[in-house]
Amino acid sequence: MKDTFKHQGMRKQLAAILRKKEITDNAVLKAIEVIPRHLYLDSSFESHAYQDKAFPIAANQTISQPYTVAFQSQLLGVSPGDKILEIGTGSGYQTAVLLEMGAKVYSIERQQELYKKTKLLLSKLGYRPKQLIFGDGYKGLEEQAPFDGIIVTAGAPFVPKPLMSQLKVGGKLVIPVGDDPQVMTLFTRKSEKEFAKEEFGEFRFVPLLEDKN
């Protein structure tokens, strides 16, 4: 589990690339510069870890492209102390970005193999989410609601109603909606019954699966 000066230099370069792609949130860029992304990938991909690309991880899932992680995190607009629900823990990289931004993170993963592996990795790297849960992300996490923000890291064919209902008024849901590709969508809860919706172009994600395996 080494993190060298070379790795740190590569992260600075990656952050510079993301700045050029209009990532302007300093908390996001600082997280990208700090987190050893190579430790979230299979060691055979280590040399590619700081390229702006997605890569395969366990259970036929992927670690998202750094730009996608940064873009979603920026849309969420995290303030320190915000209570954030992450649907799809995956490799744990997005979880770490949210934690570096000062969020209190609750994260749900439905692939057992990935859940176990990532729980161990985050702990080894010193990242402490409030809860890591093996479960069905479509249901959200009613017992911890409401949330300041909810981030979905897999493509959803539709927007799960429980996620909308678990947002605070003023809270944001960032979710890629559609089959392939998806449209990055931001919902902001204006009142008990009213949501504002904005769309931010096409992205590609692995599908959000119901039930757990």
Side-chain angles (χ1 to χ4, degrees):
M1 309 269 292
K2 281 187 184 156
D3 185 30
T4 65
F5 285 121
K6 184 183 171 190
H7 290 126
Q8 290 160 30
M10 288 159 86
R11 288 203 286 282
K12 281 202 165 27
Q13 287 173 334
L14 176 59
I17 288 166
L18 297 180
R19 267 190 201 94
K20 284 182 183 154
K21 292 185 172 183
E22 297 183 6
I23 299 299
T24 54
D25 186 321
N26 285 326
V28 174
L29 292 163
K30 186 163 180 284
I32 299 287
E33 285 190 6
V34 169
I35 299 164
R37 187 172 185 259
H38 61 284
L39 300 180
Y40 293 80
L41 294 172
D42 188 289
S43 57
S44 57
F45 290 117
E46 187 185 329
S47 61
H48 303 283
Y50 298 108
Q51 294 176 12
D52 192 18
K53 287 182 185 168
F55 283 98
I57 53 171
N60 293 326
Q61 303 298 297
T62 57
I63 180 171
S64 290
Q65 179 184 354
Y67 172 72
T68 304
V69 172
F71 189 80
Q72 282 196 283
S73 303
Q74 180 165 289
L75 279 185
L76 204 56
V78 177
S79 299
D82 277 358
K83 193 173 179 183
I84 304 295
L85 176 62
E86 177 188 33
I87 306 298
T89 316
S91 66
Y93 181 69
Q94 173 74 75
T95 318
V97 169
L98 294 168
L99 289 166
E100 286 286 353
M101 292 172 78
K104 294 172 180 166
V105 182
Y106 297 78
S107 189
I108 302 176
E109 175 54 55
R110 68 168 292 285
Q111 300 275 3
Q112 186 143 31
E113 175 193 358
L114 207 46
Y115 165 75
K116 287 180 176 167
K117 192 175 172 184
T118 298
K119 193 171 187 180
L120 196 63
L121 177 67
L122 286 171
S123 169
K124 271 187 188 167
L125 294 174
Y127 287 111
R128 304 265 181 275
K130 286 285 178 192
Q131 268 185 284
L132 268 186
I133 300 130
F134 173 55
D136 182 350
Y138 273 89
K139 294 174 182 162
L141 194 62
E142 184 59 51
E143 61 271 29
Q144 292 295 344
F147 294 95
D148 296 295
I150 300 176
I151 183 168
V152 180
T153 63
F158 58 88
V159 182
K161 283 205 172 77
L163 300 187
M164 302 287 268
S165 70
Q166 289 170 29
L167 270 186
K168 271 183 190 170
V169 173
K172 294 176 177 178
L173 165 64
V174 176
I175 181 168
V177 184
D179 292 319
D180 184 25
Q182 294 88 22
V183 174
M184 190 67 74
T185 310
L186 170 66
F187 292 94
T188 306
R189 188 165 203 169
K190 296 294 189 186
S191 67
E192 280 305 306
K193 298 210 168 143
E194 190 190 359
F195 292 83
K197 177 183 175 183
E198 296 171 79
E199 293 183 341
F200 294 89
E202 293 185 348
F203 287 77
R204 278 199 156 80
F205 284 80
V206 293
L208 179 65
L209 303 169
E210 281 192 83
D211 301 325
K212 53 193 187 188
N213 113 14

